[in-house]
Amino acid sequence: MIDKGMPDAAGPAGRPVGRRIVLAMLGLGAAGVAAGPAVRSGLGEVRAALSRVAPAAVPDDRGFRYFSVVGSVPRQDATTYRLTVGGLVDRPATYTLDQLAALPQHTVVHDAVCTDGWQVDDVPFTGVLLRDLLDAAGVRDEGAAVRFTCFDGAYSESLTLDQARRSDVVVALRMFDEPVPHDSGGPVRLFVAPMYFYKSAKWLSGIEVTSQVQQGYWEDYGYPVDGWLPGEEPVGA
């Protein structure tokens, strides 16, 4: 587990979490068990608010934690969402959500493992294989890597071209057979199954083919550029 840049008991942008907030979070589980449906609904709203302050501590119903490196992220939907594919390609393209959904869809099932120490087992992500989008764009000979940007305006990630072409790397529109929710990086996010979850960029808005790997957001804080999960690293990598 890598801790640099992700201090304990801190919220977005490193804001400390107060003791009262931590105690409130610890009480949510017990209160939810004892309460009826209406009260549990109210607790869900409290949990959602707390998750913005202490995202790593508050799981959703499936075990995911909300995290953003900015204060808030604008919402996108079928009318506003666009994904651009460009850089060192012959045929740059821009996709709407409906256009992505009309392409062949593939499901990748794998554990989602965060460097914070939590994971959700056997998560099904469904969408377009990244290599299909790259093939459609026509990667030029000098293209060697892929950089990803996000509509939160801050996050970025990257993969080598060989990594990007794997059959377990998908531009996901659905998870658990439902549209990817906003808090999980929707409407479109990257899922790089064999790597730690920080490599799976949320709120994906741009795919750029580059001549070399460019460090992503967390790599600037000391995270490995190749974030392989234990046992997933290819032989010779």
Side-chain angles (χ1 to χ4, degrees):
M1 177 178 174
I2 303 165
D3 290 323
K4 187 173 181 181
M6 301 183 73
D8 291 339
R15 189 166 59 244
V17 177
R19 180 173 178 272
R20 284 177 297 176
I21 293 175
V22 173
L23 291 175
M25 290 186 295
L26 292 175
L28 281 176
V33 172
V39 176
R40 282 199 297 270
S41 176
L43 288 172
E45 295 177 2
V46 174
R47 181 174 63 182
L50 288 173
S51 70
R52 270 60 173 183
V53 182
V58 185
D60 65 14
D61 292 339
R62 297 189 185 273
F64 286 93
R65 275 71 166 171
Y66 176 89
F67 189 84
S68 167
V69 299
V70 298
S72 64
V73 180
R75 291 178 180 268
Q76 301 278 0
D77 57 27
T79 62
T80 59
Y81 180 80
R82 299 292 184 273
L83 175 65
T84 61
V85 181
L88 299 175
V89 299
D90 293 325
R91 298 177 292 277
T94 299
Y95 293 90
T96 66
L97 195 59
D98 288 342
Q99 288 171 331
L100 288 172
L103 295 174
Q105 302 290 296
H106 298 265
T107 298
V108 176
V109 181
H110 200 283
D111 299 345
V113 184
C114 184
T115 54
D116 278 347
W118 60 267
Q119 75 178 62
V120 180
D121 296 337
D122 299 325
V123 183
F125 281 97
T126 301
V128 184
L129 290 177
L130 176 57
R131 70 185 182 194
D132 287 351
L133 294 177
L134 295 174
D135 289 346
V139 176
R140 297 177 183 171
D141 290 342
E142 61 268 34
V146 184
R147 181 173 183 263
F148 307 96
T149 52
C150 309
F151 63 78
D152 68 349
Y155 204 83
S156 65
E157 256 307 333
S158 63
L159 297 170
T160 69
L161 192 58
D162 285 343
Q163 292 166 356
R165 289 190 179 280
R166 289 176 57 109
S167 61
D168 51 5
V169 178
V170 63
V171 174
L173 286 67
R174 301 179 70 82
M175 57 186 291
F176 298 108
D177 202 29
E178 299 174 350
V180 177
H182 175 78
D183 283 3
S184 291
V188 177
R189 68 168 299 153
L190 187 67
F191 183 52
V192 184
M195 295 187 177
Y196 282 103
F197 216 29
Y198 69 89
K199 299 295 291 187
S200 297
K202 299 194 295 186
W203 304 299
L204 184 65
S205 62
I207 297 172
E208 178 189 8
V209 177
T210 59
S211 60
Q212 60 184 0
V213 171
Q214 301 179 26
Q215 289 193 164
Y217 182 91
W218 285 116
E219 284 87 350
D220 286 339
Y221 288 87
Y223 278 40
V225 173
D226 293 323
W228 299 107
L229 291 169
E232 298 277 6
E233 184 174 0
V235 175

